[in-house]
Amino acid sequence: MALRSAQGDGPTSPRWDGGAEKADFNAKKKKKVAEIYQALNSDPTDVAALRRMAISEGGLLTDEIRRKVWPKLLNVNTSDPPPTSGMPEEQREGLQEELIDIILLILERNPQLHYYQGYHDIVVTFLLVVGERLATSLVEKLSTHHLRDFMDPTMDNTKHILNYLMPIIDQVNPELHDFMQSAEVGTIFALSWLITWFGHVLSDFRHVVRLYDFFLACHPLMPIYFAAVIVLYREQEVLDCDCDMASVHHLLSQIPQDLPYETLISRAGDLFVQFPPSELAREAAAQQQAERTAASTFKDFELASAQQRPDMVLRQRFRGLLRPEDRTKDVLTKPRTNRFVKLAVMGLTVALGAAALAVVKSALEWAPKFQLQLFP
């Protein structure tokens, strides 16, 4: 490659040409799009290639492509989606109604599943990317596979998955691991990361869907590996903290919004290969045995879960999609208490389980002050 001089008047200067760099990026993007469609159009569909594309730099690039590829990654037949819940169209009021319908339909069709605070963050991501009908199919499949442990009547399996976090960190950085253990920070800071696939804590929707590309193409435990690489990336910040639970928890619970996502995705994949779940299972089990009793930790989980106010993320993301002149219109918070009460007294609480009672109770308490109407 010819170089230009530092003065720019000869062929030896090492300056990058912005136009050439952009052209190179566009060429790579065009090539990747072509490879994705080639895999989609193969007979049978080349799912392995689609997984590689979803994991590799940039992920699936556009929501149009995601609408075609996400069903393939989850092995969902898009030609026969489940019916909607039957609400007349004139009674539907925007994304919030669609969100409610998807959640209720999935729980009605799968009584073994239990709603948990944060589930709506995942549902709304699919809703915004693929629309209601397809989102219902994809989230239902996800709920019975990747998210299944989070939807048990208790949080025992969720806590067990969180217990993989420290063994991963210990394998890579024993000093950081020992510091966190000394601080007794535990893993509560990563709870909302795990159960919402980071949808609750990232403000830029582009980063959220990029992670969803990655997680959908990988093992169900990949989100905990990604949580580990975030902590490892922030090593110096953690070690500079006072070695106490409050300081370290406060730092880690405030996730940076400018993370190098592609680098971290690549690193998470590497760690999964180096330290697969099968090798960490014994340490994770030991970690669980070493923890405090369930009775003493329950309030911590309850508090962490309660802090996920029902439609905060939905409102933030929806506002982000509006034109600036429309953002002052509170389209998601029109009071509709009657439907909320109607939902609460329907027989759906059997499917929702005990969590529904907590959601109903807390939402009724919050609604007058915060206009939070997940179940209006």
Side-chain angles (χ1 to χ4, degrees):
M1 179 176 65
L3 297 177
R4 296 185 179 276
S5 67
Q7 291 75 24
D9 56 357
T12 58
S13 172
R15 295 186 308 174
W16 286 100
D17 186 331
E21 194 172 0
K22 183 177 180 180
D24 182 59
F25 170 80
N26 289 336
K28 288 181 178 178
K29 180 178 178 180
K30 185 176 180 180
K31 180 176 182 291
K32 186 170 189 179
V33 169
E35 291 173 345
I36 291 172
Y37 277 101
Q38 181 180 358
L40 282 169
N41 295 328
S42 298
D43 187 14
T45 301
D46 191 346
V47 178
L50 294 178
R51 291 190 187 281
R52 290 195 299 271
M53 298 297 167
I55 293 170
S56 63
E57 185 175 359
L60 296 175
L61 302 173
T62 71
D63 286 352
E64 179 182 358
I65 292 175
R66 291 184 177 99
R67 284 190 283 272
K68 294 179 172 64
V69 175
W70 281 4
K72 303 298 184 184
L73 297 179
L74 286 172
N75 193 26
V76 168
N77 181 3
T78 58
S79 63
D80 187 27
T84 57
S85 61
M87 181 180 298
E89 192 66 29
E90 61 270 20
Q91 294 182 17
R92 308 170 64 82
E93 297 188 31
L95 287 175
Q96 192 178 16
E97 292 284 4
E98 295 176 0
L99 176 64
I100 296 168
D101 287 351
I102 292 171
I103 293 173
L104 294 184
L105 179 60
I106 291 172
L107 295 177
E108 283 184 289
R109 287 164 56 94
N110 300 272
Q112 77 280 12
L113 301 179
H114 298 263
Y115 176 86
Y116 65 87
Q117 285 280 25
Y119 184 61
H120 62 280
D121 289 292
I122 288 181
V123 177
V124 76
T125 300
F126 281 87
L127 176 59
L128 292 173
V129 173
V130 304
E132 181 185 6
R133 183 63 69 89
L134 187 51
T136 303
S137 298
L138 299 185
V139 175
E140 182 171 23
K141 184 63 173 287
L142 198 69
S143 300
T144 56
H145 291 79
H146 292 65
L147 307 179
R148 181 64 185 86
D149 287 329
F150 308 146
M151 305 191 75
D152 278 346
T154 71
M155 296 192 71
D156 290 346
N157 283 337
T158 301
K159 291 165 66 178
H160 178 67
I161 294 172
L162 280 170
N163 284 331
Y164 279 83
L165 180 65
M166 295 306 294
I168 297 170
I169 293 172
D170 189 30
Q171 291 285 348
V172 180
N173 192 327
E175 179 187 4
L176 179 61
H177 169 272
D178 293 347
F179 180 90
M180 294 175 66
Q181 291 289 73
S182 297
E184 298 182 337
V185 68
T187 56
I188 299 296
F189 65 87
L191 176 63
S192 64
W193 305 359
L194 177 65
I195 65 177
T196 69
W197 280 10
F198 297 84
H200 185 74
V201 293
L202 298 181
S203 59
D204 192 327
F205 193 64
R206 294 173 303 172
H207 298 153
V208 175
V209 294
R210 172 65 187 101
L211 288 180
Y212 276 46
D213 292 343
F214 178 48
F215 296 151
L216 287 171
C218 293
H219 189 282
L221 286 181
M222 187 58 78
I224 202 68
Y225 282 81
F226 192 79
V229 298
I230 290 178
V231 177
L232 290 163
Y233 175 75
R234 303 185 70 190
E235 169 195 2
Q236 197 56 54
E237 293 178 81
V238 175
L239 295 178
D240 287 344
C241 273
D242 292 333
C243 189
D244 60 72
M245 188 274 289
S247 299
V248 180
H249 177 86
H250 177 73
L251 172 71
L252 291 176
S253 61
Q254 307 297 315
I255 191 169
Q257 298 298 311
D258 59 347
L259 294 169
Y261 291 95
E262 296 298 336
T263 299
L264 297 182
I265 285 171
S266 177
R267 182 63 172 144
D270 290 344
L271 291 183
F272 185 89
V273 173
Q274 288 179 270
F275 313 110
S278 58
E279 292 186 9
L280 300 174
R282 181 176 298 179
E283 294 178 60
Q287 178 83 10
Q288 186 163 354
Q289 292 298 323
E291 285 183 344
R292 294 172 293 166
T293 65
S296 64
T297 60
F298 175 76
K299 290 187 180 298
D300 294 336
F301 275 89
E302 187 178 45
L303 175 62
S305 189
Q307 289 172 345
Q308 298 176 44
R309 291 171 180 162
D311 74 340
M312 182 183 299
V313 174
L314 171 62
R315 184 180 304 158
Q316 290 171 346
R317 292 183 190 165
F318 187 77
R319 284 185 180 278
L321 296 176
L322 296 175
R323 295 171 299 175
E325 61 268 25
D326 292 335
R327 289 178 184 171
T328 58
K329 300 176 183 178
D330 199 0
V331 295
L332 290 180
T333 57
K334 180 180 177 182
R336 297 193 305 274
T337 307
N338 287 342
R339 185 167 185 260
F340 180 67
V341 174
K342 180 180 178 181
L343 172 64
V345 299
M346 290 169 65
L348 297 174
T349 51
V350 175
L352 289 168
L357 301 179
V359 173
V360 169
K361 181 177 182 297
S362 60
L364 281 172
E365 291 171 350
W366 291 335
K369 185 174 181 181
F370 295 102
Q371 290 186 306
L372 297 178
Q373 304 284 325
L374 175 62
F375 292 132

